[in-house]
Amino acid sequence: MTKLSEQQYQVVAKSVSDKKALPGALLPILHDIQDQLGYIPKAAIDIIAAGLNQTAAEIYGVISFYHHFRLDKPGNHLVEICRAEACQAMGSEALEQEIKSKLGIDYHQTTKDNNVSLEPVYCLGNCACGPSIKVGERVYGRMSGEKFSRLMDKLSTYVVELGQGENHAR
Amino acid sequence: MPVKIYIPCDTTALAMGADEVANIVEFQSREAGLSVDIIRNGSRGLFYLEPLVEVETARGRIAFGPVEAEDVPGLIQSLVAHGDFSEGKAFAGKHPLYLGLTEEIPYLAKQQRLTFARAGIIDPLSLEDYQAHGGFEGLNQALALTGSNGPQGIVDEVKTSGLRGRGGAAFPTGIKWQTVLDTPAEQKYIVCNADEGDSGTFADRLLMEADPFTLIEGMVIAGLAVGANQGYIYLRSEYPQADKILNQAIKTAYAQGYLGENIQDSGQHFDLEVRLGAGAYICGEETSLLESLEGKRGLVRAKPPLPAIEGLFGLPTIVNNVISLASIPVILAKGGEYYRDYGMGRSRGTLPVQLAGNIKQGGLVELAFGATLHNLVFEFGGGTFSGKPAKAIQVGGPLGAYLPEEQWHTPLDYEAFAANNAVLGHGGVVVFDTSVDMAKQARFAMEFCKIESCGKCTPCRIGAVRGVEVIDKIIGDDHREQNLELLTDLCDTMELGSLCAMGGMTPYPVRSVMEHFPDDLIKAVPGKAQQEQEL
């Protein structure tokens, strides 16, 4: 297991101490850590467990139950494609295939250049204007393979211009 | 006087480019010397017209839509050339995207908006706007009732309204509240279920993004009614915009004395907090939601005990959907009878129907119960987006049945749908055109259950996996007759042997495909006959 960096340790320790007194504190703590680090490093589990007086297994069990929480670091951009029925009715299945082949990855994978991680999602609440995808915090409606390529070009350029991986992932 | 221009900030408007439009409107109007005041309102719910740009005139707000970034320069020029805002003269024919007065757009004019009365009209974060449009009238009534009659007066009003849970289960809200009121405890809770996971639904999101104070007001009233001083909004993490807006609205409500201690000098106390889910569909089930709020895996609990008696942290808890709670202010403000006078049979009041999927004019339509699906999909919705004939309509989310054409004239009413082995659920309507393969949809129902089952009940956890396998065999013509029988048997087992609706209702869409679209399920497999010959 990779050790936490000093900065990561600070984030985790602060989240736990800030929120452990909340009733039902675990989800708020996990969200807070993932919002800041982009994921929940495995080495954080023991610290959370100690803070909440629970076992590491309990913490891991909660993380693994929820699709949103991830234990591995995502790419610079987290792309989520809606797989639910309203988007299916607008051709999301073909869109999924197109996006996967453009990126050269499947769900739960990250591109080799570490630019994009791909996840399925079941409904973004944009069902009147599907098919929908979400990139970082932003939802895009009436998505197509072509529009996705343009969007990706824009996002890659943006990262290059900033000269660093701007972290869109939550 | 600057011209007031409204550009929505709800998720769908943003997904269709509203932020870009707002930026360009600001820039272009400055260039053109037109003084403007841009207001980021919520959406009216006419999503097929988003981004819908409205301009205030003396006659009322006039609308343009859908406005894309490249339409803005022409629109601003047109406003400068023809807009006489003080006189509010007709703008007709002056711009191709001109839609007339917003309130007169038939899609909106034909609706009966009670719960969504303010949606899209006000700035969602302006408390002054909220109050100017009837906000907190319900709370004032509730405080008056508490003073004269005790909390029972509020519960009685909710009972009179006939409101039933809008999350999908349609349990009478007043009876749930009565149970919590009658259960003595030091601490009680109000939990708002904002884990709107059903595909094809967005009413909760729209309400929270367009009129968050209504939800806050509804929850404060619920707190007064049952003696609870702590509320939680359990919001799905897929809704970051709603999260942002709700949190800002809550902060404002605290600052203005509508939350916290001594609400409006009444001596009443209510605290409210947003808690985020984490992408688990099952957490929309109330007991799973409570587990999640307690910081655990979202495993469904057995009932009884009812959450109204032993809910969050084992204490009496109201768990109500966003729309149920957001309907409380209008019920209190205008009286339970006013609300009850809408609707049919035992389905009282209005239902915000969400038109989604392959539909030309998707959006939110709030109508009294009793309208038909056909009326909604074809008169409001304008038919399919693709222009091909519609083939199936799924109502009520992923656990709802696919309705064939012969059932499209069923009135929207809980009992009428139940008679068709279908559900209204949370009011999501997803239209499919003739290109859909219904066998795939039946398979997806099982696949979705496999992905989202909490794992507590074996028929759901294992049954969904077997369901996918059995449907694959049926599609592939592998012992088709026997496997169809097996699938029926499996559906029975899931339905009868699961604690909650996840396993209990996944059979609904599957059975509806077996019953109404059998040809899709048992169509010939290309190349199969030849393969068999070769063997």
Side-chain angles (χ1 to χ4, degrees), chain A residues 1 26 30 40-42 44-46 48-49 54-66 69-71, chain B residues 297:
Chain A
M1 186 161 48
L26 183 51
L30 295 175
I40 298 158
K42 283 200 184 81
I45 293 177
D46 283 338
I48 303 168
Q54 287 183 286
T55 65
E58 282 172 308
I59 308 300
Y60 179 80
V62 169
I63 295 171
S64 65
F65 182 86
Y66 296 95
F69 295 131
R70 52 189 308 147
L71 290 164
Chain B
R297 292 163 71 90

Side-chain angles (χ1 to χ4, degrees), chain B residues 98-117:
Chain B
Y98 177 67
L99 298 161
L101 287 170
T102 316
E103 304 282 347
E104 288 177 3
I105 298 173
Y107 197 94
L108 192 59
K110 284 194 277 181
Q111 298 193 28
Q112 293 160 302
R113 290 212 166 173
L114 302 184
T115 308
F116 284 82

Side-chain angles (χ1 to χ4, degrees), chain B residues 451-523:
Chain B
I451 297 165
E452 297 296 336
S453 172
C454 82
K456 178 145 179 160
C457 312
T458 316
C460 174
R461 183 183 69 243
I462 308 289
V465 179
R466 296 292 168 256
V468 172
E469 293 167 1
V470 169
I471 293 175
D472 277 340
K473 284 180 186 165
I474 295 169
I475 293 171
D477 196 12
D478 176 357
H479 298 83
R480 195 171 256 169
E481 284 308 310
Q482 292 95 317
N483 277 307
L484 279 167
E485 207 181 315
L486 205 55
L487 184 59
T488 306
D489 196 44
L490 178 64
C491 283
D492 288 342
T493 307
M494 288 175 74
E495 209 171 309
L496 300 171
S498 308
L499 278 175
C500 83
M502 181 92 236
M505 285 174 58
T506 290
Y508 278 50
V510 177
R511 283 192 210 271
S512 69
V513 171
M514 294 170 79
E515 189 179 339
H516 304 300
F517 306 95
D519 295 350
D520 278 16
L521 209 50
I522 54 171
K523 61 182 172 295

